Amino acid sequence: GVLQWNQTSGLTFSSTTQPQTSVSALVPGQYAVSALLTEGDCIARDTIFVTFNFPPLVDISDSGVTCHD
């Protein structure tokens, strides 16, 4: 059969035609991901929901403030 992962806006797949693939998101949230499998005249479709929760990022940088005694 032939498998096709349908890319949702905001997601990137390492492969859209392999059963096992890596997927990443730029923005945290829940995404619907659809897979379409065709085998001759038969067609199967399924949708799963994937949630990406990113850890909070903290930017600690030099603010340029200097204290003198």
Side-chain angles (χ1 to χ4, degrees), residues 12-33:
T12 302
F13 289 81
S14 60
S15 172
T16 58
T17 59
Q18 296 297 316
Q20 294 181 340
T21 185
S22 297
V23 61
S24 60
L26 296 176
V27 177
Q30 187 177 63
Y31 296 85
V33 178

Side-chain angles (χ1 to χ4, degrees), residues 37-44:
L37 179 63
T38 56
E39 175 98 28
D41 292 338
C42 297
I43 298 173

